[in-house]
Structures are given as C-alpha cells and as structure tokens.
C-alpha cells in the first residue's frame, strides 16, 4: 500500500501530465502497428517522416526533462522503430531502395511517347 501511495504522489505518477501524456502517445504506436498490415502504397512518406522527426525530438525531451520520463522515452523509442519500418516499406515500394514494387505507383503518370 505504501508503494502505491508513493507512485500516486511521485513526480511522474498518474496525478501528472508526465504520466498521462505518454499513455495517450501510445495511440501513435498502436496506429503505426495496425498500419503495418496495410499495403505500402497507402503510406504517406511525408507524414511518416514527420512522425520520425517528432518521436526523435520527444525522445530527447523525455531524456532531458527532470525528472526523466522513461515512460515517454519508451513510447517514442517504440514509435520511432515502427515509423522507421513504415518509412522503409514506403521507400522500397517507391523504388528508393532498389527496384520499384509492382502495383504501387503513387507518382504522376509518365508522359506519353511522341511519334
């Protein structure tokens, strides 16, 4: 019971945003994991890159804030991994990592041949 009270009243306990912010951010991780089951042609390269930058910045924040927020750090480290995987799927599907996958054309149509 004493340990529970200590947790409740700690600087990173459930009475603070240091707890509820990271809990809410796990939604990004869950959404990213669900998106791994979708085809790569529905992945937005711009949004996935933005999510990678966002999680990278917040990992730094979670490490530097006092008291250190390990829950936020873990959440964003996991999200960074998921988003980098999604970005690699997008890059492979669009030919950035080799040959373009069939059926994932997301660019503008090629110009018609003159003749």
């Amino acid at each position: 019971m004493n340990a529970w009270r200590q947790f409740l009243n700690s600087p990173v306990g459930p009475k603070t945003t240091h707890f509820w912010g990271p809990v809410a951010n796990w939604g990004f991780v869950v959404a990213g994991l669900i998106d791994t089951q979708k085809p790569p042609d529905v992945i937005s390269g711009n949004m996935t890159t933005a999510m990678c930058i966002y999680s990278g910045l917040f990992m730094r924040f979670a490490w530097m804030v006092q008291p250190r927020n390990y829950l936020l750090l873990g959440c964003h480290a996991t999200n960074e991994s998921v988003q980098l995987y999604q970005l690699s799927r997008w890059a492979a599907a669009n030919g950035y990592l080799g040959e373009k996958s069939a059926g994932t054309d997301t660019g503008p149509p090629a110009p018609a041949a003159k003749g």
Side-chain angles (χ1 to χ4, degrees):
M1 187 68 153
N2 191 25
W4 177 249
R5 256 193 210 143
Q6 279 183 316
F7 171 67
L8 278 176
N9 296 316
S10 75
V12 292
K15 292 182 179 180
T16 68
T17 57
H18 286 280
F19 178 82
W20 292 108
V23 168
N25 275 323
W26 280 102
F28 290 133
V29 178
V30 172
L33 288 171
I34 291 169
D35 286 348
T36 62
Q37 303 303 310
K38 296 179 180 176
D41 59 331
V42 299
I43 298 171
S44 167
N46 291 337
M47 188 63 198
T48 304
T49 301
M51 289 297 291
C52 287
I53 293 168
Y54 164 78
S55 283
L57 290 172
F58 270 88
M59 280 191 293
R60 165 107 168 110
F61 170 79
W63 186 255
M64 297 305 292
V65 70
Q66 292 299 321
R68 283 200 173 133
N69 194 330
Y70 295 111
L71 184 58
L72 185 65
L73 180 66
C75 168
H76 283 292
T78 306
N79 190 47
E80 185 76 16
S81 300
V82 171
Q83 296 302 327
L84 286 171
Y85 172 67
Q86 289 290 77
L87 193 59
S88 72
R89 290 179 63 222
W90 174 82
N94 287 287
Y96 293 106
L97 300 178
E99 200 155 318
K100 190 170 183 174
S101 300
T104 59
D105 186 21
T106 58
K114 294 182 180 179

